[in-house]
Amino acid sequence: MWSSCHPKSDEDLKECAELGKSLNRLSQPTILTILAANDKPMHGYIIVQQAAHSPMFGGKKPDATGVYRALKRMEEAELVTSEWETPEEGSAKRLFTLTDKGRRCLRRWIDALACYDAGRASRAGSPGTRHRPSRRARLLARIESQAEATSQHH
């Protein structure tokens, strides 16, 4: 686990304002994880394709419009930046890059999911009861390993 289950300050929580608002789909941490796992800017279309293979979407392609809306909100919150790629042939495409603030937000998501799972495990039964990791716990483990690998590069 990265740190304690509670934000250290109001600023810490504000930095990742979406925390808790999209837990039903967890689209924001999925996008953050995909961007963190890549060292180069990514097209939105590629993000959508990779999201389909994430544990959150289970092989089903997410609604591309929803992903682009999430990317726009994340850019407004300075979690990602974007720039236009304008090839000589074909249409212009936007490339997205994770910011340092986005990396910190991903770490807050990891904390929140770890705390959720820890709370779930403590409610699962008496001491000594075998606890099967939840889907969120497996997602957390994957996010943590991707984030750790990425942070070693930065």
Side-chain angles (χ1 to χ4, degrees), residues 4-21:
S4 68
C5 291
H6 303 286
K8 295 175 187 81
S9 67
D10 287 342
E11 277 304 307
D12 191 24
L13 188 58
K14 284 180 195 172
E15 194 167 86
C16 191
E18 288 294 310
L19 193 62
K21 292 183 182 176

Side-chain angles (χ1 to χ4, degrees), residues 6-102:
H6 303 286
K8 295 175 187 81
S9 67
D10 287 342
E11 277 304 307
D12 191 24
L13 188 58
K14 284 180 195 172
E15 194 167 86
C16 191
E18 288 294 310
L19 193 62
K21 292 183 182 176
S22 57
L23 284 175
N24 59 334
R25 293 292 301 267
L26 294 175
S27 57
Q28 187 184 72
T30 299
I31 294 167
L32 291 170
T33 300
I34 290 167
L35 288 169
N38 291 279
D39 285 334
K40 56 185 179 181
M42 296 181 69
H43 293 118
Y45 175 78
I46 301 298
I47 294 169
V48 170
Q49 296 303 310
Q50 288 189 14
H53 301 292
S54 75
M56 211 49 248
F57 293 96
K60 296 182 180 123
K61 184 177 166 190
D63 173 47
T65 304
V67 171
Y68 284 107
R69 279 191 205 126
L71 283 163
K72 181 176 172 53
R73 282 192 312 272
M74 292 166 65
E75 186 171 19
E76 289 168 355
E78 300 176 349
L79 303 177
V80 301
T81 58
S82 71
E83 59 186 55
W84 285 99
E85 177 183 66
T86 52
E88 289 184 26
E89 293 183 24
S91 58
K93 296 177 183 171
R94 203 170 232 178
L95 293 167
F96 295 91
T97 305
L98 187 63
T99 64
D100 287 340
K101 185 176 180 181

Side-chain angles (χ1 to χ4, degrees), residues 2 12 15-16 19 26-38 74 79 98-114 139-140 142-151:
W2 290 94
D12 191 24
E15 194 167 86
C16 191
L19 193 62
L26 294 175
S27 57
Q28 187 184 72
T30 299
I31 294 167
L32 291 170
T33 300
I34 290 167
L35 288 169
N38 291 279
M74 292 166 65
L79 303 177
L98 187 63
T99 64
D100 287 340
K101 185 176 180 181
R103 287 183 196 288
R104 289 191 304 270
C105 183
L106 177 57
R107 288 181 184 228
R108 281 293 307 135
W109 271 107
I110 290 168
D111 283 349
L113 291 171
L139 172 63
L140 167 65
R142 186 170 175 189
I143 289 172
E144 282 181 329
S145 66
Q146 288 178 349
E148 285 175 3
T150 302
S151 68

